[in-house]
Amino acid sequence: MSDLGHVLVLAGGLSYEREVSLRSGRRVSEVLRACGVDVETRDTDASLVPSILADPPEAVFVTLHGGAGEDGAIRSVLELLDVPYVGAGPDACRVAFDKPTAKAVVRSVGLRTPESVTLPKETFHDLGASAVLGRIVERLGLPLFVKPARGGSALGASFVRTAEDLPAAMVGCFAYGDTALIERYVEGIEVSVSVVDLGDGPVALPAVEIVPDGGVYDYAARYTAGRTEFFAPARLSPAAAAACAETAVTAHTALGLRDVSRTDLIVDADDVPHFLEVNVAPGMTETSLLPMSAEAAGQDLGELCRALLQIATTRKPT
């Protein structure tokens, strides 16, 4: 049996990524129970706070994706309740969850990230969509990648090959958020690097290479078994693999993250990694990337989750 007491896994929520979160929560709960941990899984509703006050858990594992799960809000509530949790604190989450802000931070410490424009919906409409989008294409060139400035799971994201495709991509993006991030598309190998800190500093797990069957790693490609081929570790040169690991750890540190994160990168033809975004609550489903990284590193996912919870308990107020 585990030496941990009762722990809580938070899953679900009301974001667009609710179903993915529920799957992540089930997976984490299952692997923790297999390690002998006493686990309760709960959604975020009006009964959550009274329940925690009545029976405080030893620690919380947050598997909420998007919205309150990654923008720091639920973590602020947990801190108000004096309950320790796995992952970054509220301030770091707010910075990391906003992709343009995260890009600015990592660029300030020397990491490469695609040139981009951030465009709120109001500006898009008020200044005239045609004129603004035309200038974006002139500035960034083609192809482009459009995605919501906040959010995940590729919801609202589009690969734009021609200028004529850009207006529809913007409309699709604004369906999931009020601000769009338009990036110059970098051709290369798409990889994801998970970072864990088990007490001796952040360490990168083996990179996972992502090869979607349609060429774009969209929502369906992420969460439909068989739609994407993964290679763990990624098929990179030793130099590129080392550069990806260093980039992920640097991003994790620069953004003030804690315990666990996952950084998405594109490795160009010169083996140079380009930072795309970071995730403070990585997916834990059967097709998610952190579990693949852990397996490639020879780590048992349940033991890894248990160790992260154990570390969180050391931050419990005295």
Side-chain angles (χ1 to χ4, degrees):
M1 293 293 289
S2 168
D3 54 351
L4 275 174
H6 164 240
V7 303
L8 182 63
V9 173
L10 287 182
L14 296 177
S15 80
Y16 293 115
E17 299 173 73
R18 173 178 174 81
E19 291 305 315
V20 178
S21 173
L22 289 171
R23 288 170 57 185
S24 286
R26 283 195 295 269
R27 180 89 185 277
V28 170
S29 297
E30 288 169 1
V31 297
L32 284 171
R33 289 191 183 100
C35 293
V37 179
D38 176 17
V39 182
E40 178 186 6
T41 307
R42 290 192 64 94
D43 209 328
T44 53
D45 54 30
S47 68
L48 178 62
V49 170
S51 172
I52 289 176
L53 290 172
D55 184 18
E58 285 294 308
V60 173
F61 203 112
V62 180
T63 61
L64 298 165
H65 306 318
E70 297 182 68
D71 67 2
I74 195 69
R75 297 160 199 252
S76 293
V77 173
L78 293 174
E79 293 197 353
L80 286 172
L81 298 173
D82 289 332
V83 175
Y85 54 87
V86 171
D91 290 344
C93 285
R94 280 187 280 272
V95 173
F97 187 58
D98 188 80
K99 296 179 180 69
T101 303
K103 282 166 65 74
V105 170
V106 302
R107 187 183 291 113
S108 74
V109 295
L111 299 184
R112 298 274 192 96
T113 187
E115 187 178 356
S116 63
V117 172
T118 303
L119 190 63
K121 181 163 56 177
E122 292 80 5
T123 305
F124 179 71
H125 289 300
D126 294 349
L127 297 184
S130 179
V132 173
L133 296 184
R135 183 57 182 156
I136 288 173
V137 172
E138 290 177 17
R139 173 68 179 273
L140 299 181
L142 290 165
L144 297 168
F145 202 83
V146 178
K147 56 189 173 184
R150 309 174 93 217
S153 292
L155 291 166
S158 299
F159 177 60
V160 176
R161 294 176 175 82
T162 70
E164 291 74 23
D165 294 334
L166 186 52
M170 297 296 291
V171 171
C173 178
F174 288 138
Y176 289 92
D178 292 332
T179 302
L181 175 65
I182 306 105
E183 287 184 318
R184 174 180 289 158
Y185 181 75
V186 177
E187 188 73 35
I189 301 169
E190 187 167 1
V191 301
S192 184
V193 183
S194 297
V195 172
V196 296
D197 186 346
L198 298 180
D200 296 319
V203 175
L205 299 179
V208 178
E209 180 182 349
I210 302 158
V211 186
D213 60 5
V216 178
Y217 193 42
D218 57 14
Y219 184 90
R222 289 167 188 250
Y223 300 112
T224 305
R227 285 288 307 274
T228 299
E229 191 172 9
F230 301 98
F231 297 90
R235 299 171 299 178
L236 300 171
S237 69
C244 287
E246 182 180 0
T247 296
V249 170
T250 299
H252 180 97
T253 303
L255 291 164
L257 304 183
R258 187 174 66 186
D259 297 338
V260 62
S261 69
R262 195 198 74 229
T263 293
D264 298 333
L265 307 166
I266 292 287
V267 182
D268 67 20
D270 296 321
D271 279 354
V272 176
H274 297 252
F275 173 93
L276 299 179
E277 59 189 77
V278 68
N279 192 307
V280 300
M284 303 292 278
T285 75
E286 295 77 5
T287 57
S288 293
L289 302 171
L290 187 148
M292 293 183 200
S293 294
E295 182 178 356
Q299 295 191 20
D300 178 80
L301 183 61
E303 291 296 336
L304 176 61
C305 292
R306 188 198 65 78
L308 290 169
L309 284 162
Q310 189 71 61
I311 289 168
T313 65
T314 66
R315 296 193 286 265
K316 190 169 184 177
T318 58

